[in-house]
Amino acid sequence: MSPAFRAMDVEPRTKGVLLEPFVHQVGGHSCVLRFNETTLCKPLVPREHQFYETLPAEMRRFTPQYKGDHGTVDFVDNSDCEPKSKLLRWTNKKHHMLETEKTPKDWVRQHRKEEKMKSHKLEEEFEWLKKSEVLYYSVEKKGSISSQLKHYNPWSMKCHQQQLQRMKENAKHRNQYKFILLENLTSRYEVPCVLDLKMGTRQHGDDASEEKAANQIRKCQQSTSAVIGVRVCGMQVYQAGTGQLMFMNKYHGRKLSVQGFKEALFQFFHNGRYLRRELLGPVLKKLAELKAVLERQESYRFYSSSLLVIYDGKEWPEVALDSDEEDLEDLSEESADESAGAYAYKPIGASSVDVRMIDFAHTTCRLYGEDSVVHEGQDAGYIFGLQSLIDIVTEISEESGE
């Protein structure tokens, strides 16, 4: 059993719900947990909670469905039962096929140290993430791909264990926390391919300390954020050609040039055999629609927010439908209603591409009332990043003969 939290009184008819790690988290630093197949739990941050509670109606289809803030959470640490070889299933060598899950003896000994050394070991354990910025996970030929994705990707494992350690250290005598419940955007996909893009030319919130602001400004200046208003924060893509899952983390994303950013986008839409051209049109359509919506939002600033692009690495056969693509999208929105259950159908063909904004812990708006800084007009930095993204995806489409 993996490290887990037990949510108390989240649902009236249950004594508790085991919160599992969300294995498709590719970016961010806040631990996201899986409540059930269609719902995720995220630690409650007052500002993000306020954003979802006051979300403009026209933005709802571009954010995860908000399902409320439920209950007090007790966490249970049973991490000692978790095999310590998960990270070794990943390799930074492309096309390298792992044939064993055996753990080196010296690596095992390292993790048998006293409990008091756990926090130090945790940092050492994941230091390799900064060095191995692009990793490949070899999917075995036997069994379904989706079942093998139950393994953690390295970033979700890092976030989960660090969050568990923080909660243990901060909880003292009251191991209880609050979460917000959000739609699991990957639940409709058999093999989710996820791109996490940090949007905007500025990342620090108005309440950031001078040190924090300076650090965020430096990251923007040294990455594509300052040039095109967007940078790669994480990526997970299935490459059918090699039978591997490729993972790119934020450290690599920060180092990319504009051309490198374009190549990363190309790689995200490439399955190892050919470019998934049928996905580009729907993505461009959604990006343009989101841009139009944000241009109408007054006073919002989405500092440190990300944009997710998600599609299915498993290619589904095209099926002729009586309804057109717009009808299918309407069905998608309707089925996201809590009473209907989030996405009660399987994706069919190219229409199953999703574009959503996430992470609003540093979002500000004059409607909030208590902020010391009130901005006027639209979020030009975020919109600039969206336009850059539209331009680059358009270039990829045109160059590929779309």
Side-chain angles (χ1 to χ4, degrees), residues 5 31 33 47 129 154 187 203 212-213 276 311 326 329 340:
F5 306 96
C31 176
L33 300 165
R47 176 50 52 92
L129 273 174
S187 64
Q203 301 302 323
K212 177 74 171 179
R276 295 284 300 276
Y311 70 88
E326 292 185 1
E329 290 181 356

Side-chain angles (χ1 to χ4, degrees), residues 181-369:
L181 300 183
L182 299 171
E183 171 192 2
N184 178 3
L185 298 172
T186 68
S187 64
R188 60 187 293 209
Y189 302 107
E190 185 77 9
V191 185
C193 294
V194 184
L195 177 64
D196 185 321
L197 299 171
K198 187 69 73 174
M199 300 300 296
T201 54
R202 168 181 161 175
Q203 301 302 323
H204 63 281
D206 292 322
D207 59 344
S209 64
E210 290 186 9
E211 181 181 2
K212 177 74 171 179
N215 186 44
Q216 294 291 351
I217 291 172
R218 176 182 55 81
K219 290 178 182 178
C220 288
Q221 291 176 339
Q222 295 178 352
S223 69
T224 56
S225 293
V227 184
I228 57 176
V230 56
R231 72 172 183 258
V232 173
C233 193
M235 181 193 300
Q236 171 180 296
V237 57
Y238 178 63
Q239 300 181 326
T242 58
Q244 292 181 315
L245 192 70
M246 189 277 285
F247 176 83
M248 180 184 295
N249 67 30
K250 67 179 183 180
Y251 303 110
H252 187 75
R254 290 177 190 167
K255 296 178 181 180
L256 295 175
S257 62
V258 175
Q259 179 61 30
F261 177 87
K262 180 178 177 180
E263 292 170 357
L265 255 63
F266 182 91
Q267 189 171 24
F268 176 68
F269 292 110
H270 201 285
N271 69 359
R273 294 194 184 107
Y274 50 82
L275 185 69
R276 295 284 300 276
R277 297 182 181 89
E278 79 280 6
L279 303 172
L280 302 181
V283 167
L284 286 171
K285 181 176 181 289
K286 291 178 183 293
L287 291 175
E289 291 172 346
L290 173 58
K291 179 172 176 285
V293 168
L294 293 188
E295 287 173 340
R296 293 192 291 269
Q297 305 310 311
E298 172 66 28
S299 180
Y300 274 98
R301 295 296 182 274
F302 303 99
Y303 299 134
S304 199
S305 179
S306 284
L307 188 70
L308 292 185
V309 181
I310 312 172
Y311 70 88
D312 205 332
K314 178 175 180 177
E315 297 184 64
W316 297 81
E318 293 287 351
V319 178
L321 297 177
D322 294 333
S323 58
D324 58 20
E325 182 177 320
E326 292 185 1
D327 292 333
L328 186 58
E329 290 181 356
D330 291 340
L331 175 61
S332 168
E333 294 169 28
E334 291 173 7
S335 62
D337 182 80
E338 191 168 6
S339 62
Y343 299 112
Y345 66 95
K346 281 292 185 182
I348 301 174
S351 60
S352 59
V353 182
D354 213 351
V355 174
R356 305 286 187 105
M357 299 173 68
I358 61 167
D359 297 340
F360 304 102
H362 301 285
T363 293
T364 181
C365 177
R366 67 183 179 189
L367 299 176
Y368 296 167

Side-chain angles (χ1 to χ4, degrees), residues 96-113:
H96 178 70
M97 304 300 290
L98 298 181
E99 297 180 354
T100 178
E101 292 191 34
K102 292 182 179 179
T103 306
K105 292 182 180 179
D106 57 343
W107 202 83
V108 173
R109 285 195 295 268
Q110 176 186 344
H111 288 272
R112 289 177 176 171
K113 293 180 181 179

Side-chain angles (χ1 to χ4, degrees), residues 81-139:
C81 299
E82 176 64 25
K84 302 298 183 180
S85 61
K86 293 295 186 185
L87 295 180
L88 297 183
R89 289 283 296 171
W90 292 83
T91 174
N92 55 10
K93 296 180 180 180
K94 191 173 183 179
H95 306 309
H96 178 70
M97 304 300 290
L98 298 181
E99 297 180 354
T100 178
E101 292 191 34
K102 292 182 179 179
T103 306
K105 292 182 180 179
D106 57 343
W107 202 83
V108 173
R109 285 195 295 268
Q110 176 186 344
H111 288 272
R112 289 177 176 171
K113 293 180 181 179
E114 297 293 332
E115 174 74 17
K116 63 182 179 180
M117 297 297 293
K118 275 190 175 182
S119 60
H120 299 292
K121 289 189 300 178
L122 190 60
E123 294 302 321
E124 296 173 2
E125 182 178 321
F126 293 106
E127 184 62 29
W128 67 285
L129 273 174
K130 295 183 179 180
K131 300 176 182 178
S132 302
E133 299 166 352
V134 179
L135 300 170
Y136 297 86
Y137 182 90
S138 297
V139 178

Side-chain angles (χ1 to χ4, degrees), residues 45-56:
V45 176
R47 176 50 52 92
E48 186 165 41
H49 183 213
Q50 186 175 29
F51 170 82
Y52 279 111
E53 290 281 357
T54 61
L55 179 64

